[in-house]
Amino acid sequence: MIVLKSPAELETMHRANALVHGALAVAAEAAAPGVSTLELDRLAEDYIRSHGGVPAFKGYRGFPATLCTSPNDVIVHGIPSRDVVLAEGDILSIDCGVVLDGFYGDAAITVPIGAISDTARRLTETTRRCLEEAVAQLRPGNHLGDVGAAVQRYAEGAGFGVVRDFVGHGIGKALHEEPQVPNYGEPGQGLAFKPGLVLAIEPMITEGSWGVRVDRDGWTARTEDGKLAAHFEYSVAVTPDGPWILGVESRSS
Ligand code: MG
Ligand code: MG
């Protein structure tokens, strides 16, 4: 079932996502060589709770932390740990979810740790652009397939891989609502967008092949070939005026 949100509900989701982006900024600011991913997790959790929110991932299907911290070949769902210490040249994907006043926010960024390789920079920039290209599709009358097609066109045009095993999703009173939002697809196909639809759009792009393997912890998803992966995510509402990136752009709806 697709649940459309009212303007008042979108305003609440905007505030939930603002907390997500605040927590991501705190974690990104602290991410540096010698810092563990567990330290970033503590900072993000403190930020969220001190602003009246609740970390959404902690306890979700048994996930133990506030952030997913995914360095280098980890695509998504890396578990923060004192044993994962960042090093110069790493890239780190940070994914965060918050519940505030009954609604969820969900967003992710990939950040460089010190100086990174040209390939790492190009992959990160390409993934960010994939997200922007996808967000631009969130207009009334466009279709779900337009989102995936936009990501796929940009990523594959740059010579990179598009992960199939994980997808974006609807979001609202639940972290994961219908529909699923693949990062590949055919323009003009699938669900037609209406105002009030909110999608978490999250391209996961790889340096090499898009095959995935999951560690024995049941969470950590890596590239099968050990090459780099990047991940960016926004929660975005469809409005009559076009896409609204929740938590980032202010708007009276
Ligand atoms: Mg996320
Ligand atoms: Mg998500």
Side-chain angles (χ1 to χ4, degrees), residues 95 106 169 176 200 202 233:
D95 194 347
D106 187 8
H169 49 94
H176 295 119
E202 46 182 318
E233 177 180 24

Side-chain angles (χ1 to χ4, degrees), residues 57 77 95-96 105-108 167-171 175-176 200-202 204 231 233-235:
F57 297 170
H77 304 164
D95 194 347
C96 183
D106 187 8
V167 295
H169 49 94
I171 182 169
L175 178 59
H176 295 119
I201 300 177
E202 46 182 318
M204 290 153 263
H231 178 213
E233 177 180 24
Y234 282 141
S235 296

Side-chain angles (χ1 to χ4, degrees), residues 146-166:
D146 296 321
V147 171
V151 172
Q152 194 176 10
R153 188 183 327 115
Y154 198 83
E156 293 178 354
F160 293 129
V162 174
V163 171
R164 266 71 163 170
D165 296 58
F166 302 100

